[in-house]
């Protein structure tokens, strides 16, 4: 059975990438902009679940595992990771009195039917329904667009509307251009609106947080109305949300200089920012 403490097994089970990168290094490579990454940081820090989606054409090296692992640095302090064992997963951790769902992220290498070490069907449906029990999930999928992610979750895996709404962030990434080395971009970043739309109570509404513009290779960011909605959904005071976001933008700007900060420097900077925020609280 899978032992996540063993580096070889984490690589064999596709939990580790060949070339690990930090978010600062991903920004330095221009795969995403500082503002988008800072917003994702703030959402993950407040318990949002995460899906990283890559192309349906199984292009090797697109970066789903690298991106997912990099973003784990932004999880709340004292977060516990529960590694899933693909189609062999029995969810025994959900029956343990020692595990607090509120501080636990269930990590799945991939939701797909490609390999037994991934999750699909009944097992994947149970996994993706864990947020109803208070857990958070982080995984990757093969999907070219946010609509394809929704279709996979709702039609292929038969998740209920409320279950999909609890899945938080969806980042669609991919390769651009035909030159080597390949350039990676976060094409879209969405957040599932957690509350039903009164006009469409059965609709799943993906709220756009960031969209890549292929004309000038820039990112179009969410407007103030969306940021206000995010603050409300995360229960962060509206006056505090922009300040918290700016602190993370400033932090990532500094960390992404040159080729970008490594993992240890990232952890230290994140811990330092959180400590300063805690000290400033009344």
């Amino acid at each position: 059975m899978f032992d996540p403490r063993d580096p070889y097994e984490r690589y064999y089970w596709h939990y580790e990438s060949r070339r690990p990168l930090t978010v600062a290094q991903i920004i330095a490579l221009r795969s995403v902009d500082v503002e988008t990454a800072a917003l994702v940081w703030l959402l993950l820090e407040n318990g949002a679940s995460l899906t990283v989606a890559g192309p349906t054409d199984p292009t090797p090296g697109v970066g789903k595992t690298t991106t997912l692992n990099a973003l784990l640095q932004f999880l709340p302090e004292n977060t516990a990771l529960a590694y899933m064992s693909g189609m062999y997963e029995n969810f025994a951790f959900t029956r343990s009195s020692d595990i607090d769902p509120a501080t636990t992220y269930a990590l799945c290498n991939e939701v797909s039917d490609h390999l037994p070490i991934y999750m699909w069907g009944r097992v994947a449906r149970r996994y993706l329904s864990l947020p109803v029990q208070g857990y958070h999930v982080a995984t990757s999928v093969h999907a070219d667009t946010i609509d394809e992610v929704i279709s996979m979750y709702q039609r292929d895996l038969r998740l209920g509307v409320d279950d999909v709404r609890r899945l938080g962030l969806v980042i669609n990434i991919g390769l651009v251009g035909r030159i080597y080395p390949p350039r990676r971009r976060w094409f879209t970043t969405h957040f599932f609106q957690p509350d039903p739309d009164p006009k469409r109570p059965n609709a799943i509404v993906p709220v756009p947080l960031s969209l890549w513009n292929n004309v000038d290779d820039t990112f179009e960011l969410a407007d103030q109305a969306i940021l206000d909605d995010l603050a409300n959904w995360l229960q962060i005071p509206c006056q505090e949300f922009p300040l918290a976001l700016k602190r993370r933008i400033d932090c990532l700007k500094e960390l992404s200089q040159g080729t970008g900060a490594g993992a240890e420097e990232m952890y230290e900077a994140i811990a330092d920012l959180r400590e300063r925020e805690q000290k400033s609280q009344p």
Side-chain angles (χ1 to χ4, degrees):
M1 190 53 67
F2 171 50
D3 182 358
R5 296 167 297 183
D6 185 330
Y8 172 78
E9 289 205 28
R10 288 203 307 274
Y11 180 77
Y12 177 81
W13 281 72
H14 297 183
Y15 277 107
E16 295 284 352
S17 55
R18 291 181 182 274
R19 184 193 171 198
L21 295 173
T22 65
V23 171
Q25 291 165 339
I26 290 172
I27 294 170
L29 290 167
R30 299 180 59 194
S31 296
V32 67
D33 64 316
V34 168
E35 289 79 9
T36 299
L39 185 55
V40 169
W41 174 356
L42 193 53
L43 288 166
L44 290 174
E45 199 168 51
N46 282 273
S49 288
L50 170 68
T51 299
V52 177
T56 49
D57 175 18
T59 307
V62 73
K64 297 195 306 299
T65 301
T66 299
T67 302
L68 183 61
N69 283 339
L71 291 172
L72 295 181
Q73 286 194 308
F74 295 148
L75 297 186
E77 219 170 353
N78 301 319
T79 294
L81 291 179
Y83 286 80
M84 301 297 97
S85 300
M87 294 302 293
Y88 311 105
E89 181 58 51
N90 60 13
F91 300 96
F93 69 96
T94 64
R95 299 185 288 276
S96 172
S97 59
D98 297 330
I99 293 180
D100 180 5
T103 59
T104 302
Y105 267 76
L107 183 61
C108 172
N109 45 14
E110 189 170 300
V111 171
S112 77
D113 59 354
H114 295 169
L115 295 170
I117 62 172
Y118 300 152
M119 285 181 156
W120 193 247
R122 175 184 55 82
V123 177
R125 186 161 54 251
R126 182 174 178 186
Y127 166 72
L128 293 165
S129 301
L130 286 173
V132 76
Q133 299 176 246
Y135 293 93
H136 317 275
V137 299
T139 190
S140 67
V141 301
H142 283 286
D144 292 308
T145 65
I146 182 64
D147 289 337
E148 290 186 8
V149 174
I150 294 172
S151 178
M152 173 189 293
Y153 282 164
Q154 194 171 23
R155 297 179 185 177
D156 297 345
L157 294 172
R158 304 199 305 278
L159 284 175
V161 171
D162 288 336
D163 286 326
V164 177
R165 287 177 181 146
R166 294 187 186 97
L167 294 178
L169 277 163
V170 179
I171 300 172
N172 278 88
I173 67 175
L175 303 177
V176 298
R178 298 181 180 276
I179 61 175
Y180 186 86
R183 293 179 296 149
R184 298 168 178 82
R185 293 292 183 271
W186 293 18
F187 292 146
T188 63
T189 301
H190 288 86
F191 185 77
F192 287 127
Q193 180 175 303
D195 305 320
D197 184 337
K199 297 179 180 178
R200 299 179 296 159
N202 294 319
I204 296 167
V205 181
V207 179
L209 305 184
S210 174
L211 306 174
W212 178 63
N213 186 330
N214 68 331
V215 175
D216 57 4
D217 195 15
T218 60
F219 295 86
E220 300 171 4
L221 304 175
D223 60 25
Q224 191 58 50
I226 289 176
L227 296 180
D228 290 343
D229 284 339
L230 285 176
N232 180 55
W233 293 328
L234 296 175
Q235 297 182 332
I236 299 176
C238 283
Q239 65 273 19
E240 171 59 25
F241 188 89
L243 298 175
L245 180 58
K246 184 179 185 306
R247 286 191 291 268
R248 283 152 184 78
I249 290 172
D250 292 343
C251 180
L252 288 175
K253 279 183 179 178
E254 184 174 345
L255 290 169
S256 60
Q257 295 297 312
T259 57
E264 191 62 34
E265 188 177 351
M266 283 285 297
Y267 277 119
E268 290 176 0
I270 292 168
D272 179 65
L273 185 148
R274 289 173 175 171
E275 184 178 355
R276 285 188 281 111
E277 287 183 330
Q278 289 175 354
K279 288 180 178 179
S280 66
Q281 291 178 355

